[in-house]
């Protein structure tokens, strides 16, 4: 009997979880150079909607570059060249007539260090909706409450919405940043090591939040923390030196990886 992996071509190092779910992203033969540094090499990856995909690998292997390319942030750097294809729900994001502004309304990003604006909690959450033309106070109030609730920080902030966001703890600031991202009603949330600057309790809260959010959103998360990848993701991609060594269901990657490099990395033998 053939397993679901045996009939993959050698080039196809991607999976489509259970081969059925609609794809949020379909990345094919993506290459990226920083000047002469070939940082992403023939990356192909299918990212099913409403799932959590973890990106793991040692420092400098291309994890951040990859997720920043998913919302076309890398191209702001003049030394960057890319080729290949990234389809966001059937639309080629590198196509001439594809709007980056539209992409950014659909794809939110959360960074390693919480980066709230030096404004009130309320103004942080309404910043994006206001840019998109929403002015009505009642609508903005509703967006604030809904977004803070979804980011599991409403109870802690509802009585201090007018206070400066810098008065929140690091973990609260990160959940506020997630609320700010949710306020524009994205489809996808990209997270670049969102808990690496947080204490264990704040980390746990973000991990629980990710589990909750995946019911409505597609999440791609870069993490250095193997246990975190194992706890919260549905599929895991192991990057090494700009290539995907292996991408599979998370339990498979952590229990019986196909490749020796993957096994060495997850068992802490390098990286
Ligand atoms: N802005 C940049 N300009 C030039 N080279 C860059 C830039 N950003 C990343 N690189 C290079 O691209 C490669 C991949 O870097 P990237 O930051 O994507 O790795 P990473 O896996 O996210 O690393 P880390 O885990 O340390 O954050 C590295 O060789 C790095 O030096």
């Amino acid at each position: 009997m053939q397993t679901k992996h045996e009939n993959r071509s050698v080039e196809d190092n991607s999976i489509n979880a259970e081969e059925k779910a609609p794809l949020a992203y379909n990345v094919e033969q993506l290459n990226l150079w920083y000047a002469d540094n070939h940082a992403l090499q023939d990356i192909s990856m299918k990212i099913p909607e409403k799932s959590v995909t973890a990106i793991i690998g040692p420092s400098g292997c291309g994890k951040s570059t990859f997720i920043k390319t998913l919302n076309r942030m890398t191209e702001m750097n003049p030394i960057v060249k890319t080729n290949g294809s990234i389809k966001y729900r059937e639309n080629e994001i590198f196509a001439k007539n594809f709007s980056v502004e539209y992409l950014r309304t659909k794809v939110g990003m959360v960074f390693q260090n919480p980066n709230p604006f030096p404004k009130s909690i309320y103004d942080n959450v309404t910043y994006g909706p206001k840019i998109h033309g929403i002015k009505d106070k009642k609508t903005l109030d509703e967006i604030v409450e809904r977004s803070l609730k979804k980011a599991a920080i409403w109870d802690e902030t509802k009585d201090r919405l007018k206070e400066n966001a810098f008065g929140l703890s690091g973990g609260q600031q990160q959940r506020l940043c997630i609320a700010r991202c949710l306020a524009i009603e994205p489809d996808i949330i990209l997270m670049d090591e969102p808990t690496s600057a947080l204490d264990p309790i704040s980390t746990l809260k973000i991990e629980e939040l990710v589990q909750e959010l995946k019911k409505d959103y597609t999440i791609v998360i870069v993490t250095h923390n193997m246990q975190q990848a194992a706890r919260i993701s549905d599929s895991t991609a192991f990057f090494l030196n700009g290539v995907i060594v292996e991408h599979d269901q998370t339990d498979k990657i952590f229990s019986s990886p196909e490749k020796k490099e993957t096994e060495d990395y997850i068992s802490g033998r390098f990286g």
Side-chain angles (χ1 to χ4, degrees):
M1 201 182 87
Q2 253 189 345
T3 70
K4 73 177 165 130
H5 305 298
E6 280 169 345
N7 53 8
R8 273 190 232 154
S9 70
V10 175
E11 296 77 31
D12 184 5
N13 49 16
S14 60
I15 56 164
N16 175 2
E18 302 316 323
E19 322 292 332
K20 290 279 182 280
L23 295 181
Y25 275 118
N26 189 6
V27 180
E28 289 182 304
Q29 302 279 293
L30 174 70
N31 286 281
L32 182 145
W33 291 262
Y34 291 103
D36 293 336
N37 178 4
H38 196 176
L40 296 178
Q41 301 172 28
D42 284 336
I43 301 291
S44 294
M45 188 190 290
K46 296 183 194 317
I47 300 178
E49 69 172 15
K50 295 185 184 167
S51 66
V52 179
T53 300
I55 311 288
I56 62 168
S59 187
C61 68
K63 304 178 299 293
S64 295
T65 300
F66 176 66
I67 69 162
K68 282 188 199 145
T69 307
L70 292 177
N71 75 351
R72 284 184 52 180
M73 265 175 75
T74 39
E75 70 193 48
M76 290 174 342
N77 183 338
I79 66 167
V80 165
K81 277 202 203 79
T82 43
N83 67 31
S85 165
I86 300 181
K87 289 211 177 72
Y88 161 64
R89 298 203 178 269
E90 308 292 319
N91 301 303
E92 176 57 57
I93 72 166
F94 295 128
K96 277 208 171 66
N97 61 356
F98 185 81
S99 156
V100 183
E101 290 71 32
Y102 167 76
L103 185 66
R104 304 261 166 84
T105 63
K106 293 292 174 192
V107 183
M109 185 126 190
V110 176
F111 297 92
Q112 181 169 5
N113 290 307
N115 60 349
F117 303 132
K119 294 170 177 289
S120 70
I121 294 165
Y122 185 95
D123 288 347
N124 263 274
V125 182
T126 57
Y127 186 84
K130 278 184 180 163
I131 286 179
H132 292 113
I134 299 175
K135 295 197 180 81
D136 177 56
K137 168 92 170 65
K138 189 163 167 286
T139 309
L140 290 169
D141 287 352
E142 281 165 9
I143 290 172
V144 168
E145 181 167 344
R146 187 173 64 235
S147 306
L148 290 169
K149 277 185 174 160
K150 276 192 180 176
I153 191 179
W154 172 247
D155 289 343
E156 290 149 88
T157 55
K158 64 177 189 288
D159 300 324
R160 49 192 292 202
L161 294 175
K162 296 292 169 195
E163 286 177 27
N164 195 292
F166 288 167
L168 297 171
S169 72
Q172 289 172 328
Q173 287 186 17
Q174 194 63 306
R175 278 178 286 139
L176 174 63
C177 291
I178 293 172
R180 186 177 65 190
C181 164
L182 297 177
I184 56 162
E185 298 190 6
D187 179 17
I188 293 172
I189 306 173
L190 306 176
M191 298 181 159
D192 195 352
E193 296 186 52
T195 62
S196 62
L198 305 182
D199 64 84
I201 292 180
S202 300
T203 296
L204 183 66
K205 283 196 174 142
I206 302 272
E207 289 185 5
E208 286 169 354
L209 180 56
V210 166
Q211 293 300 290
E212 197 53 37
L213 291 174
K214 80 166 191 182
K215 293 175 189 157
D216 297 315
Y217 306 91
T218 303
I219 296 171
V220 184
I221 181 169
V222 168
T223 179
H224 271 120
N225 181 331
M226 296 302 117
Q227 288 80 16
Q228 179 167 79
R231 278 194 296 266
I232 67 174
S233 69
D234 300 294
S235 79
T236 297
F238 171 50
F239 278 56
L240 186 61
N241 298 329
V243 302
I244 298 183
V245 172
E246 196 166 347
H247 178 204
D248 214 322
Q249 302 302 321
T250 294
D251 50 5
K252 170 91 169 49
I253 290 280
F254 285 96
S255 61
S256 51
E258 304 270 328
K259 302 277 169 61
K260 183 168 183 317
E261 294 100 314
T262 315
E263 190 172 354
D264 286 350
Y265 183 69
I266 60 170
S267 59
R269 261 171 254 154
F270 74 92

